[in-house]
């Protein structure tokens, strides 16, 4: 399976950038990632491990084994391969955060009146190096889902970075690549939000980064949530509902990105159609090194999982 994931990682990297972009846009100075478990390099793992030390009842998530080095995967994830291809070292944000502002004690958590929460105090550490802010369970707003509270959503992740820029009196690196990929967790709630609202959060995140000087963006849409193995009952009410939400989300996102690409000066906006790639994998799994694309890899009743 790991070899298949490796091949998929490089295939995804190749497919992400159009041919005209590959010639000159790969010379990025840094890489900044915002999203959920699909891009999480170990932030939830570091957070839950720190909280487990405070309260042993809180489980360390994801468990290893079967998960790989704090990632929600059995091997490196796609942003690992992208960073390697770009020859950029990317650090998890939880490796750089501190316990309290101006306190040089590294810590994934900070103490609040409501208890331990993910720390987004960096004392300027995120402004001059590549950082991955993605957290498993993140929604596009300020929060996330999971068995413990305080998970930072997309807007919280972006705000953590832009606040660090303010603290350091700096602008965002205009030569870095900024990745935004989130949305699937928003639709896992009992009463899912309107896709316009979800995409609006992504737009807000992108505009915030742009206003601080970011110019190169990679934004991914969603794979068909109705065809994910945990929900794979083709034709069922839940499957059909999730497919409809996915297609609405992707349609609104596509229109939004088209407007932004035309309205924001000097923006280099790269969109990637994960929905199409995912359907290609389901139709021809062997082309991507897979043999089973209909069943879950893990027994989720025994393993703590986030998306």
């Amino acid at each position: 399976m790991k070899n298949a994931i490796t091949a998929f990682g490089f295939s995804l990297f190749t497919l992400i950038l159009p041919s005209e972009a590959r010639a000159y846009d790969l010379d990025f100075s840094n890489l900044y990632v915002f999203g959920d478990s699909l891009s999480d390099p170990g932030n939830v793992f570091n957070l839950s491990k720190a909280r487990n030390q405070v309260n042993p009842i809180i489980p360390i998530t994801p468990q290893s084994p079967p998960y790989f080095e704090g990632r929600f995967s059995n091997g490196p994830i796609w942003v690992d391969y992208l960073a390697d291809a770009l020859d950029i070292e990317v650090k998890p944000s939880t490796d750089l955060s501190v316990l309290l502002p101006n306190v040089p004690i590294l810590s994934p958590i900070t103490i609040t009146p409501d208890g331990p929460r993910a720390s987004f105090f960096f004392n300027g550490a995120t402004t001059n190096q590549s950082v991955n802010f993605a957290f498993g369970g993140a929604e596009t707003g300020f929060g996330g889902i999971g068995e413990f509270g305080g998970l930072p959503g997309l807007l919280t992740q972006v705000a953590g970075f832009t606040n660090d820029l303010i603290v350091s009196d700096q602008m965002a690196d205009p030569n870095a690549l900024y990745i935004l990929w989130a949305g699937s967790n928003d639709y896992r709630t009992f009463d899912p939000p309107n896709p316009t609202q979800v995409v609006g959060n992504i737009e807000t995140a992108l505009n915030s980064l742009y206003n601080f000087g970011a110019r190169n963006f990679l934004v991914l849409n969603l794979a068909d949530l109705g065809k994910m193995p945990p929900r794979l009952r083709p034709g069922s009410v839940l499957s059909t509902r999730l497919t409809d939400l996915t297609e609405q989300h992707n349609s609104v996102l596509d229109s939004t990105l088209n407007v932004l690409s035309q309205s924001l000066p000097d923006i280099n906006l790269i969109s990637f159609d994960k929905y199409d790639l995912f359907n290609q994998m389901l139709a021809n799994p062997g082309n991507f090194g897979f043999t089973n694309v209909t069943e879950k890899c893990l027994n989720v009743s025994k393993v703590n999982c986030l998306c």
Side-chain angles (χ1 to χ4, degrees), residues 18-286:
S19 58
E20 62 271 18
R22 294 174 201 153
Y24 61 88
D25 284 345
L26 297 185
D27 190 22
F28 298 115
S29 54
N30 283 299
L31 188 63
Y32 292 93
V33 184
F34 307 90
D36 53 29
S37 67
L38 298 172
S39 307
D40 185 346
N43 284 322
V44 163
F45 178 81
N46 291 340
L47 175 64
S48 63
K49 185 165 62 173
R51 295 192 61 179
N52 175 266
Q53 293 173 350
V54 176
N55 182 357
I57 296 178
I58 297 175
I60 297 177
T61 304
Q63 297 175 8
S64 179
Y67 288 104
F68 173 78
E69 295 185 359
R71 293 155 174 81
F72 290 87
S73 170
N74 67 332
I77 55 179
W78 76 280
V79 286
D80 295 322
Y81 295 114
L82 178 59
D84 286 343
L86 296 174
D87 195 25
I88 294 176
E89 179 183 359
V90 185
K91 292 188 177 181
S93 62
T94 47
D95 284 354
L96 301 173
S97 56
V98 296
L99 184 63
L100 293 168
N102 301 316
V103 176
I105 301 176
L106 292 174
S107 172
I109 62 174
T110 186
I111 306 302
T112 75
D114 297 324
R117 291 291 186 267
S119 173
F120 276 84
F121 305 125
F122 301 103
N123 293 343
T126 69
T127 63
N128 56 10
Q129 60 183 308
S130 299
V131 185
N132 189 328
F133 295 89
F135 276 77
E139 297 176 327
T140 57
F142 290 99
I145 62 174
E147 67 274 15
F148 49 84
L151 285 172
L154 181 71
L155 292 181
T156 298
Q157 297 167 27
V158 170
F161 174 60
T162 56
N163 287 340
D164 204 33
L165 292 170
I166 294 172
V167 167
S168 306
D169 193 24
Q170 294 189 43
M171 296 292 288
D173 181 357
N175 298 313
L177 178 64
Y178 298 83
I179 296 174
L180 301 172
W181 191 15
S184 61
N185 289 316
D186 294 75
Y187 302 116
R188 292 181 62 184
T189 61
F190 179 77
D191 186 19
N194 189 300
T196 300
Q197 176 185 343
V198 177
V199 173
N201 289 335
I202 298 172
E203 181 181 11
T204 297
L206 191 153
N207 276 318
S208 179
L209 292 167
Y210 178 88
N211 290 336
F212 273 88
R215 290 296 180 267
N216 304 301
F217 295 92
L218 170 60
V219 184
L220 297 87
N221 67 8
L222 299 181
D224 189 340
L225 300 177
K227 295 179 180 176
M228 297 294 180
R231 307 170 183 85
L232 186 61
R233 290 181 57 194
S236 70
V237 173
L238 177 59
S239 174
T240 301
R241 183 186 188 194
L242 288 171
T243 294
D244 289 344
L245 284 170
T246 304
E247 293 177 349
Q248 292 175 44
H249 173 98
N250 290 344
S251 177
V252 175
L253 180 64
D254 185 56
S255 298
T256 299
L257 296 180
N258 284 335
V259 171
L260 292 174
S261 66
Q262 297 175 28
S263 61
L264 297 179
D266 301 322
I267 192 171
N268 175 25
L269 183 53
I270 304 165
S271 59
F272 177 65
D273 191 352
K274 176 63 187 300
Y275 182 90
D276 180 66
L277 177 61
F278 182 69
N279 284 336
Q280 290 182 43
M281 293 173 61
L282 293 181
N284 299 287

